[in-house]
Amino acid sequence: MSNLITTYYKTPLGTAEIVGDNNGIQSISVLDDEFSTPLEVTNSDLPKCMQDCRTQLEEYFAGERMEFDLKLNPQGTTFQKKVWKELLNIPFNKTRTYLEQSKALGDVKAIRAVASANGKNPIWIVIPCHRVIGSDGSLTGYAGGIWRKKWLLDHENPVKQQSLF
């Protein structure tokens, strides 16, 4: 059994808590509160996959990265892992409905189970569950908050909405 390491990275949406080890990133979650710890691990003490994660998140938020190339090790059921793997097929700046996601997984009737698995996605942004929307185009269900989902989708949209006034 390995010892998990936790590190933090400040993003425009809150502080990201990154948990992993040499086997890969197990989770990335966003914290609502300001967070800093005197026990913060220095970058040189982190496994390579966690150093890469911080670098790639920084590039993503700077608008310089559209795909992540990280060693991932999410913990979940076989079904959840299948759903999360399918989320990785949704391209940057594209969305998919929960129904389309269910179809991609081969079972239209599994829409509720797919939505539930999306909601349990442990790897924020990198496994892009924020790209899944309601059939009517609404921004439904996002564990990090709908405002973060909207921010991420706007961030990925190359055409920035202009105000008329």
Side-chain angles (χ1 to χ4, degrees):
M1 181 161 167
S2 67
N3 293 327
L4 292 176
I5 296 172
T6 302
T7 188
Y8 301 90
Y9 173 74
K10 217 177 255 287
T11 79
L13 299 175
T15 301
E17 180 182 69
I18 305 164
V19 179
D21 58 19
N22 288 322
N23 296 318
I25 305 296
Q26 274 197 13
S27 71
I28 303 172
S29 54
V30 64
L31 307 174
D32 286 323
D33 300 328
E34 279 295 311
F35 190 87
S36 64
T37 173
L39 303 173
E40 172 99 23
V41 187
T42 63
N43 219 26
S44 61
D45 293 332
L46 292 173
K48 180 168 178 5
C49 65
M50 294 181 76
Q51 292 176 34
D52 292 347
C53 183
R54 287 173 70 150
T55 299
Q56 291 184 30
L57 282 172
E58 184 175 331
E59 293 166 353
Y60 172 85
F61 284 110
E64 300 165 356
R65 174 170 291 278
M66 294 187 290
E67 290 182 21
F68 292 93
D69 180 22
L70 296 168
K71 185 176 180 182
L72 303 179
N73 187 20
Q75 303 300 299
T77 67
T78 302
F79 178 76
Q80 288 170 334
K81 289 178 182 179
K82 182 178 173 185
V83 170
W84 301 333
K85 187 174 182 180
E86 184 57 38
L87 287 168
L88 294 170
N89 293 325
I90 304 173
F92 184 88
N93 188 36
K94 299 291 181 203
T95 57
R96 186 183 283 177
T97 67
Y98 288 100
L99 180 60
E100 290 168 333
Q101 189 71 352
S102 296
K103 286 179 182 174
L105 289 160
D107 187 355
V108 169
K109 294 178 186 154
I111 190 167
R112 289 183 192 273
V114 167
S116 176
N118 275 9
K120 291 180 174 72
N121 169 21
I123 303 183
W124 183 58
I125 296 177
V126 175
I127 298 179
C129 60
H130 63 276
R131 296 180 188 152
V132 182
I133 60 173
S135 294
D136 62 358
S138 63
L139 304 184
T140 61
Y142 190 63
I146 295 296
W147 73 272
R148 284 190 179 103
K149 183 172 189 164
K150 181 179 182 336
W151 191 99
L152 291 167
L153 293 173
D154 288 346
H155 176 70
E156 293 182 3
N157 186 347
V159 179
K160 299 301 179 201
Q161 185 67 34
Q162 298 294 318
S163 173
L164 295 175
F165 304 99

